[in-house]
Amino acid sequence: MSEQRDVRWGILGSGYIAAKVLTQGIKRSGRAVAVGSRNLARAQEFAAAHGIEKSYGSYQEVLDDENVDAIYLALPTQIREEWTIKAAKAKKHVLSFKPLATTLDTVKKMIEACEENNVVFMDGTWWQHLPRTIEIADFLKDPNCEIGKVRSVVSTFTFSDPNMSADNIRAQPAAEPLGCLGDIGWYTIRFSLFAYDYELPEKAVGVITGRHPETNAITQFSGVLLFANNRSATFDCSFNAALNQRSEICGEHGLIRIPDSFVPFGGRKEDNMDSKTRFYYAKDGDAEGQWREKIQDIEISVQEYMINDFHDCIFGRKDWRVYASQTKKIHSVLDACMESAANGKDLAFDTVWESG
């Protein structure tokens, strides 16, 4: 492989997310050469719909294909560990949908398998690769940051699916044990850590506030992260509330507001080649309701930014271990929030997690 478009991809899974990342990311920046499903007919249908040459009736056949360099793993959480490790041993780079697993210890095993086999590993969080995210990070790291040092963060990701069927994978604890916390709470936790430059909190408090009436799957979750020096982050996620993906970063002298933190309003078009993202900030002394606007040009799809960064890791232009370190920190917070919710008390982070 010498150029990005030489990366040959295999897809494990044939659902909506696999199709989205394939059409909006992989096919624009690489080549999809194979898809695998537990059902051969479904794999063939997916391949025909998306112009993929090879279709297999098992995931293993994709890993055995010598013409596959990288895997996009769009499988249920409960089997991602198995297929990540198998892909690593087959010398395939791995991009995986999130959450990666149900515990931090499992995530560490997955990442270690990739390290041992000299392949790249990355979680598939789109928004972290956007120019807006990079600009906000630079804004906050500026020694003369206009809002001062971050003191608190609030992040929300909710959408309403009041008639969610028990057959929906989101409502199946056996496949997705973390429920909405792992599905969309992942984004809010990541945003909270991102705002603090991936510093881990000292304590975490998690509360399950809603469950599916038939399956008992987690459908609402709230959490508070307490950082050193009296700083905090609060997050909410839910399948039972109106669409909301607003996040705010409050500093000593001002505030950043993002109305579309995770799925940018300008990034929803199928042929998003000329869109923009925005964030807003206000400072002490500004007129009430006055917001300053920062605009970023988006020339490619949000998924393609992610695929490009993944390719950069493959070719050594970026260090995939930086992303992996962030992933482990997110999962350490997920663990803490789930344990706090189970025990009904706040949970202090110990040195084992901090070294993860």
Side-chain angles (χ1 to χ4, degrees):
M1 296 181 293
S2 59
E3 299 292 338
Q4 293 204 148
R5 294 201 65 82
D6 287 336
V7 178
R8 301 166 299 180
W9 285 82
I11 313 299
L12 298 191
S14 53
Y16 168 78
I17 292 297
K20 185 73 171 179
V21 173
L22 171 65
T23 58
Q24 298 301 303
I26 291 171
K27 291 181 72 173
R28 293 179 174 184
S29 191
R31 288 191 291 143
V33 298
V35 59
S37 172
R38 290 172 295 184
N39 182 307
L40 178 58
R42 188 168 183 181
Q44 291 172 333
E45 180 181 356
F46 188 94
H50 299 291
I52 299 174
E53 180 181 351
K54 299 177 183 178
S55 52
Y56 296 113
S58 72
Y59 305 136
Q60 186 62 49
E61 288 175 280
V62 179
L63 302 187
D64 292 339
D65 191 327
E66 295 182 354
N67 293 314
V68 171
D69 305 307
I71 294 295
Y72 180 62
L73 201 156
L75 304 176
T77 301
Q78 283 289 62
I79 60 174
R80 284 177 196 152
E81 174 192 12
E82 174 188 358
W83 290 103
T84 294
I85 292 174
K86 286 182 176 179
K89 290 180 177 179
K91 308 300 181 183
K92 313 298 186 187
H93 305 289
V94 180
L95 176 65
S96 176
F97 193 55
K98 40 47 61 200
L100 304 177
T102 56
T103 68
L104 173 62
D105 286 342
T106 302
V107 172
K108 287 181 178 179
K109 292 177 184 177
M110 296 160 70
I111 293 173
E112 286 168 2
C114 291
E115 286 183 310
E116 291 169 359
N117 288 280
N118 198 31
V119 295
V120 167
F121 178 87
M122 183 185 286
D123 73 64
T125 307
W126 308 338
W127 68 265
Q128 70 164 326
H129 303 279
L130 283 170
R132 176 174 66 186
T133 307
I134 297 168
E135 185 171 342
I136 292 172
D138 291 342
F139 183 93
L140 293 173
K141 291 175 183 177
D142 187 333
N144 300 310
C145 178
E146 294 185 73
I147 69 166
K149 295 181 180 179
V150 177
R151 301 299 308 173
S152 66
V153 180
V154 177
S155 187
T156 301
F157 198 175
T158 62
F159 65 85
S160 181
D161 189 356
N163 300 314
M164 182 180 288
S165 166
D167 295 331
N168 189 316
I169 191 169
R170 287 185 164 122
Q172 297 176 17
E176 299 296 339
L178 300 178
C180 70
L181 178 65
D183 188 351
I184 53 180
W186 166 279
Y187 297 106
T188 60
I189 289 174
R190 181 170 216 133
F191 186 89
S192 300
L193 297 185
F194 160 77
Y196 286 116
D197 197 21
Y198 289 95
E199 174 186 345
L200 278 174
E202 293 185 334
K203 290 185 178 182
V205 181
V207 182
I208 298 170
T209 56
R211 290 186 179 272
H212 192 278
E214 296 178 57
T215 68
N216 210 38
I218 300 170
T219 57
Q220 291 186 184
F221 197 102
S222 297
V224 178
L225 310 179
L226 303 175
F227 294 80
N229 301 316
N230 300 313
R231 296 167 299 150
S232 66
T234 304
F235 69 88
D236 289 287
C237 56
S238 175
F239 297 150
N240 303 323
L243 178 62
N244 182 3
Q245 49 169 332
R246 176 178 291 183
S247 297
E248 294 183 348
I249 302 172
C250 188
E252 297 167 313
H253 310 300
L255 176 73
I256 290 175
R257 177 171 291 173
I258 310 169
D260 57 346
S261 306
F262 311 115
V263 184
F265 297 150
R268 291 181 175 178
K269 297 177 181 177
E270 291 300 306
D271 294 315
N272 174 35
M273 289 292 133
D274 186 24
S275 296
K276 299 181 185 297
T277 56
R278 296 168 171 81
F279 71 90
Y280 305 88
Y281 73 101
K283 301 193 298 181
D284 287 346
D286 288 346
E288 185 174 354
Q290 177 183 336
W291 291 90
R292 303 159 193 255
E293 185 179 51
K294 291 276 191 177
I295 301 175
Q296 303 79 38
D297 291 324
I298 302 298
E299 299 177 352
I300 58 179
S301 71
V302 294
Q303 294 82 11
E304 191 173 352
Y305 280 110
M306 175 179 68
I307 299 300
N308 287 346
D309 280 349
F310 188 81
H311 288 170
D312 281 346
C313 291
I314 291 176
F315 292 109
R317 293 187 286 264
K318 292 185 177 178
D319 186 354
W320 70 270
R321 293 169 185 82
V322 173
Y323 295 110
S325 175
Q326 295 170 359
T327 300
K328 286 187 284 188
K329 289 181 178 181
I330 296 163
H331 269 278
S332 73
V333 174
L334 283 172
D335 274 14
C337 288
M338 284 295 289
E339 188 169 344
S340 170
N343 296 334
K345 60 179 68 176
D346 64 337
L347 193 69
F349 279 66
D350 59 31
T351 55
V352 175
W353 285 359
E354 290 192 37
S355 65

